[in-house]
Amino acid sequence: MLKYSIAALALAACPATVSAEGFPERPINLVVPFNAGGGTDLLLRAFAPHMAEALGGNAFVSNMAGGSGTIAAGALAGQKPDGYQLGYWSVTVATVQPQIKDVPYGVDSWTPICSVAASPTVLFTQADSPFQTIEDVVAAVKADPGKYIYGSSGPGAITHLTAVAAFSGLGVIDDMKHLPFQGSGPALQAMAAGTIQFFGDTELLMASGDFRPLVVFNSERLESMPDVPTATEVGISAPLNELYLWGGFFGPAGMDPEITATLSKACEAAMNSDGFQKFAADTSTVLDYRNAADFDAFFRAQYEANSTLIEAAGL
Amino acid sequence: MIQSIPEALSLILTFEGMLVLTLGTMLGIILGALPGIGSTVAVAMILPFTLTMSQAPAILLLLAIYAGSVYGGSISAILINTPGTPQSAATCLDGYPMAQRGEAGKALGWSTIASVCGGLFSAVVLIFAAPQLAAFALNFGPIETFALILLGLTCIVSVSEGSLIKGLIAGFIGIFLSTVGGDPITGEARFTFGQFQLIAGFNLLAVVIGVFALSEVLIRAAALRDGDTPLVDFDGIVLPKLREWKGRIKGLVKSVLIGTGIGILPGTGAATAAFISYAEARRSAPTRDNFGKGEPDGLIASESANNAVTGGALVPTMALGIPGDAITAVMLATLTLHGVTPGIRLMTENPVLMAAIFSGFFVINLMLLPLGMLVSRMAAPILRIKEAYMLVMITLLCTVGVYFVRGIPFDLLVMAGAGILGFTLRRQGYPMAPLVIGMVLGPTLEISLRQGLIITDGSFAAFFVGHPIAAVLVAAAFGILSLPFVRMLKNRKAS
């Protein structure tokens, strides 16, 4: 009897001591915290086969939508840190939502693996708008407090934070109204109709409609719009002057450093693969690789910096 | 646009093109009929396979899946009272009673023809008037949307068979359930009682499947005596004869218009369209007293409207490059992946591709008829299983379907809870349709009302000044709400 018990114990103990050697032994689950078909979902579905190839194993994508990504992050936090379940969290899932909602995860819940994408955000208005520059906007808002409305795809979303960074940084946010929508599509329709005047998102949006960019939240001007000033140039001071929609892979806290390194290297190889590079070029995704250590430092700095933004947004 | 159609047809009428359309439509019908999968998931599942295809076949495959899945949901709604998606929930109301009466084949015949009509009409609208309609839809701001949804909610009154009070109570339960979760304006979590999973609210599909399908299983199980009779008798689709259409054409036209119109508006969808159209038919059809007991007019209303939404939803997507919902967002993403820039210049820059998409969409809707007959024929043998086994199978299908969507066990608890709630309420004579209507329309009602109040600085009266569309819609809503009371007063006077 005792013999059996010991054998059983030994068997049970086996999976707990995850060996870095031979990793991965089974398929890796890449969790998308949003619905199938969205931007993040597409990115991961294009990424998964190259990740699998780089690891010499298998990788599959699963969707766990809800609560602006917090349902998936809440489910993954506290799971066994064996490297077989990784979440792709964006700036909002990882650094904003845990500071505005009561969610079962925080800054210390993760082992950051690698960052994949980062696009600077841009504040837009409609192309036929009377505002040519951000200075025009500030003057108009001051002349007519309470008249102008900025939209967003939802409270706490990157679209919301972009507008907050702009108008709070310029000191006019209290003279404006915020109108959240359920997703970017309805918000952009409202801007075309004139219900809202301003909307912030990544430069990707420029291609899809008649918009006029007013200010970019990047350290320098963007190649695609050389005439548009940076936030610093128009007088928006740190930490509100730079804002990126970034995303990367996270595992639960406490992962084996060797497995983290293996995954991080595989992530880099997958990002450099021809197939994924072509996907990024086709979708104008700005790739931005950071290894595990750099990503960890970046993520923690962003968590801090965004608390200022959250306070300014009144969330 | 129209002058590009001949060239576009040469893209579609190829072996590859027709193969894609046939297989896509058929697969869409099957995926739509399985509870839980629904249009968005079906389209997203197929997306990776389109990456190696050329532009036109890729997007046509997704359109075929989309149109097929919206229709497919009606098959399971009619045969086993399990709406494949919330958008076919209104189809259960008259479809299932018809099936129980032994007229399953006929019910599917009506729903098929109605779906085809709805889809075809919306395709024609898309081909001829997309830019104009997209521009008009921009007049619908938050305030107009609020008024429209308010009008939609009055359908609770008309679908409350038996007791108006019980219907209203069920409707309010639905609206209340829809308020659980994140506040749409401030983002704060509401009514979650510290339950983290509720931060995203109750999953609509889990609740719909619970209150319709699971509660039906419980009711049947409670009444189960002799297990030899099959649940419904079905040998294949029986198409309605031409003379049976007498008196129903007007309702069909109205429903198709409602569906297309609602499809064009942002932030609404097929479920909303089906319920509003059903309620309108129930208010105005000559056969209104038979609604809820298996009346073909009810089926026509919901099925023609939800299929008409498909074409309508493509109007702003293609004309403005702005997707109105998750499915059309996937379509635009597919175009992007194939090197086409979606946006306001989409139609002018790619006339042939757009013409191919629109005419392909027309062909897809034509194919729904033969393919729908084929697929539901395949379902017939399954339905001959003994009732007890059938109930087990339905339960299993619901469980897998609900779990499949997000992979969250909590959703299964929600489904079970909704099933028990539905069973209890139905036994007390509470209708379930108002509950689902409340849950479907509740979120849009709330966000549009609160957006409107932000715009008007908190003045509800300002909703009607300078918003004539909203004023008319709200007046209509109050008119419909007061109807039962007017009738009651009249009856009292008469007696």
Side-chain angles (χ1 to χ4, degrees):
Chain A
M1 188 65 211
L2 186 69
K3 236 198 287 181
Y4 288 118
S5 305
I6 291 171
L9 268 177
L11 266 179
C14 262
T17 54
V18 182
S19 71
E21 209 175 311
F23 178 88
E25 288 172 330
R26 48 195 173 90
I28 292 177
N29 180 8
L30 305 176
V31 179
V32 180
F34 304 111
N35 273 319
T40 308
D41 179 66
L42 290 175
L43 181 91
L44 257 70
R45 284 178 199 273
F47 185 80
H50 303 295
M51 181 77 174
E53 197 184 326
L55 278 171
N58 251 320
F60 67 98
V61 174
S62 64
N63 301 82
M64 205 186 267
S68 311
T70 56
I71 292 284
L76 194 60
Q79 294 267 354
K80 199 159 53 173
D82 55 8
Y84 289 104
Q85 281 195 79
L86 303 177
Y88 185 90
W89 310 152
S90 66
V91 53
T92 51
V93 177
T95 73
V96 179
Q97 293 293 339
Q99 302 195 56
I100 63 175
K101 276 187 199 150
D102 186 15
V103 295
Y105 67 94
V107 68
D108 293 320
S109 304
W110 311 113
T111 307
I113 308 287
C114 63
S115 74
V116 176
S119 302
T121 61
V122 182
L123 185 76
F124 297 93
T125 188
Q126 200 68 14
D128 56 8
S129 138
F131 310 116
Q132 298 295 331
T133 64
I134 191 79
E135 286 82 11
D136 294 351
V137 176
V138 174
V141 171
K142 281 188 176 152
D144 231 336
K147 181 180 172 191
Y148 295 101
I149 306 177
Y150 60 89
S152 77
S153 56
I158 193 77
T159 53
H160 182 198
L161 300 183
T162 306
V164 168
F167 298 121
S168 175
L170 293 164
V172 291
I173 196 157
D174 293 334
D175 296 329
M176 300 187 71
K177 292 193 274 193
H178 169 220
L179 204 57
F181 289 81
Q182 282 174 317
S184 289
L188 290 174
Q189 292 202 5
M191 189 152 86
T195 310
I196 62 169
Q197 289 80 42
F198 310 102
F199 191 72
D201 208 330
T202 60
E203 61 176 311
L204 205 59
L205 195 68
M206 268 314 272
S208 65
D210 282 333
F211 305 116
R212 178 182 297 145
L214 294 170
V215 54
V216 300
F217 290 84
N218 195 28
S219 51
E220 51 197 77
R221 291 191 178 201
L222 296 179
E223 257 174 58
S224 57
M225 40 185 94
D227 300 331
V228 182
T230 65
T232 315
E233 286 176 53
V234 301
I236 297 171
S237 51
L240 302 183
N241 60 337
E242 286 181 33
L243 184 60
Y244 303 91
L245 176 58
W246 56 260
F249 287 104
F250 291 83
M255 273 174 56
D256 182 324
E258 278 180 50
I259 290 177
T260 307
T262 308
L263 285 168
S264 187
K265 277 195 200 104
C267 176
E268 185 178 17
M271 281 174 65
N272 288 329
S273 68
D274 291 343
F276 191 68
Q277 287 284 337
K278 183 178 179 305
F279 169 86
D282 286 347
T283 54
S284 306
T285 305
V286 186
L287 297 182
D288 184 40
Y289 174 77
R290 282 184 179 83
N291 67 24
D294 292 347
F295 188 34
D296 188 58
F298 175 76
F299 158 61
R300 285 172 188 278
Q302 281 277 303
Y303 199 96
E304 279 303 309
N306 286 339
S307 64
T308 316
L309 204 50
I310 290 161
E311 205 173 306
L315 287 166
Chain B
M1 178 72 224
I2 295 152
Q3 57 276 17
S4 308
I5 286 181
E7 198 181 334
L9 284 178
S10 68
L11 280 177
I12 301 169
L13 301 173
T14 57
F15 179 69
E16 192 196 7
M18 292 313 283
L19 187 73
V20 157
L21 290 185
T22 317
L23 288 182
T25 311
M26 198 148 128
L27 192 62
I29 298 173
I30 296 170
L31 291 176
L34 294 172
I37 294 186
S39 304
T40 319
V41 178
V43 168
M45 270 167 70
I46 303 302
L47 177 58
F49 298 100
T50 67
L51 293 180
T52 54
M53 303 166 80
S54 53
Q55 282 176 358
I59 194 91
L60 286 173
L61 176 60
L62 295 185
L63 280 174
I65 299 275
Y66 179 26
S69 63
V70 172
Y71 162 74
S74 70
I75 298 179
S76 42
I78 291 170
L79 294 180
I80 52 176
N81 203 28
T82 306
T85 60
Q87 62 218 22
S88 12
T91 307
C92 291
L93 302 179
D94 279 289
Y96 188 60
M98 267 186 95
Q100 282 177 308
R101 224 168 40 208
E103 296 179 341
K106 265 190 145 174
L108 274 172
W110 285 113
S111 76
T112 306
I113 297 283
S115 297
V116 171
C117 289
L120 284 182
F121 178 81
S122 71
V124 170
V125 167
L126 185 65
I127 292 170
F128 289 100
Q132 294 83 350
L133 283 171
F136 176 75
L138 290 180
N139 289 325
F140 260 76
I143 292 173
E144 285 77 13
T145 306
F146 167 74
L148 178 76
I149 297 298
L150 201 64
L151 181 63
L153 272 179
T154 59
C155 54
I156 286 180
V157 174
S158 55
V159 294
S160 303
E161 69 260 34
S163 159
L164 181 59
I165 296 295
K166 284 179 176 171
L168 288 175
I169 290 173
F172 277 113
I173 293 177
I175 295 177
F176 172 69
L177 290 178
S178 81
T179 63
V180 174
D183 181 303
I185 302 293
T186 67
E188 276 164 285
R190 299 183 300 201
F191 309 124
T192 59
F193 297 97
Q195 274 292 315
F196 165 66
Q197 277 96 339
L198 278 179
I199 213 162
F202 289 110
N203 184 283
L204 176 63
L205 186 84
V207 174
V208 168
I209 289 193
V211 297
F212 277 110
L214 209 59
S215 75
E216 178 70 20
V217 167
L218 291 175
I219 283 176
R220 292 235 149 210
L224 205 59
R225 296 278 179 273
D226 176 14
D228 280 341
T229 47
L231 208 54
V232 290
D233 201 17
F234 176 62
D235 289 315
I237 290 185
V238 182
L239 291 180
K241 296 192 183 64
L242 215 51
R243 65 182 149 76
E244 289 177 288
W245 276 100
K246 202 164 167 263
R248 304 192 197 274
I249 300 288
K250 209 174 125 197
L252 175 74
V253 171
K254 209 192 277 179
S255 305
V256 166
L257 287 174
I258 291 174
T260 310
I262 288 177
I264 296 170
L265 301 178
T268 50
T272 308
F275 274 119
I276 289 183
S277 155
Y278 182 84
E280 171 53 27
R282 184 153 190 168
R283 188 191 64 79
S284 62
T287 49
R288 59 177 168 266
D289 293 336
N290 293 329
F291 271 52
K293 297 171 204 148
E295 169 55 47
D297 279 345
L299 265 177
I300 294 171
S302 77
E303 274 305 306
S304 60
N306 68 19
N307 277 77
V309 164
T310 56
L314 289 171
V315 166
T317 312
M318 298 301 171
L320 301 177
I322 303 173
D325 57 19
I327 303 163
T328 46
V330 179
M331 304 270 169
L332 284 190
T334 313
L335 284 173
T336 313
L337 287 174
H338 283 91
V340 180
T341 307
I344 201 124
R345 289 169 290 274
L346 186 65
M347 285 175 83
T348 45
E349 282 175 2
N350 312 284
V352 178
L353 178 64
M354 285 300 116
I357 290 174
F358 292 177
S359 14
F361 185 65
F362 191 86
V363 176
I364 289 163
N365 278 294
L366 280 178
M367 288 204 239
L368 280 183
L369 182 58
L371 293 176
M373 294 179 79
L374 189 70
V375 172
S376 37
R377 182 89 226 171
M378 297 181 336
I382 305 173
L383 290 163
R384 289 200 200 98
I385 302 170
K386 265 185 173 180
E387 185 175 0
Y389 297 140
M390 192 70 198
L391 295 180
V392 173
M393 207 172 82
I394 294 174
T395 313
L396 195 68
L397 215 57
C398 295
T399 311
V400 173
V402 166
Y403 187 72
F404 179 81
V405 182
R406 302 199 294 175
I408 300 173
F410 182 75
D411 287 345
L412 294 177
L413 292 179
V414 171
M415 178 186 79
I420 294 167
L421 178 77
F423 174 68
T424 320
L425 288 177
R426 281 173 69 180
R427 289 217 127 189
Q428 305 299 321
Y430 287 85
M432 283 300 101
L435 192 150
V436 173
I437 293 171
M439 238 193 124
V440 168
L441 300 184
T444 318
L445 181 81
E446 181 189 357
I447 191 164
S448 58
L449 170 64
R450 293 178 63 187
Q451 284 176 329
L453 288 172
I454 290 175
I455 293 170
T456 62
D457 291 313
S459 160
F460 191 61
F463 270 44
F464 310 105
V465 185
H467 295 279
I469 302 178
V472 170
L473 290 172
V474 170
F478 278 101
I480 291 174
L481 273 181
S482 55
L483 260 181
F485 300 102
V486 173
R487 274 197 201 135
M488 215 153 66
L489 282 178
K490 261 191 190 162
N491 288 348
R492 205 169 285 171
K493 264 187 198 159
S495 63

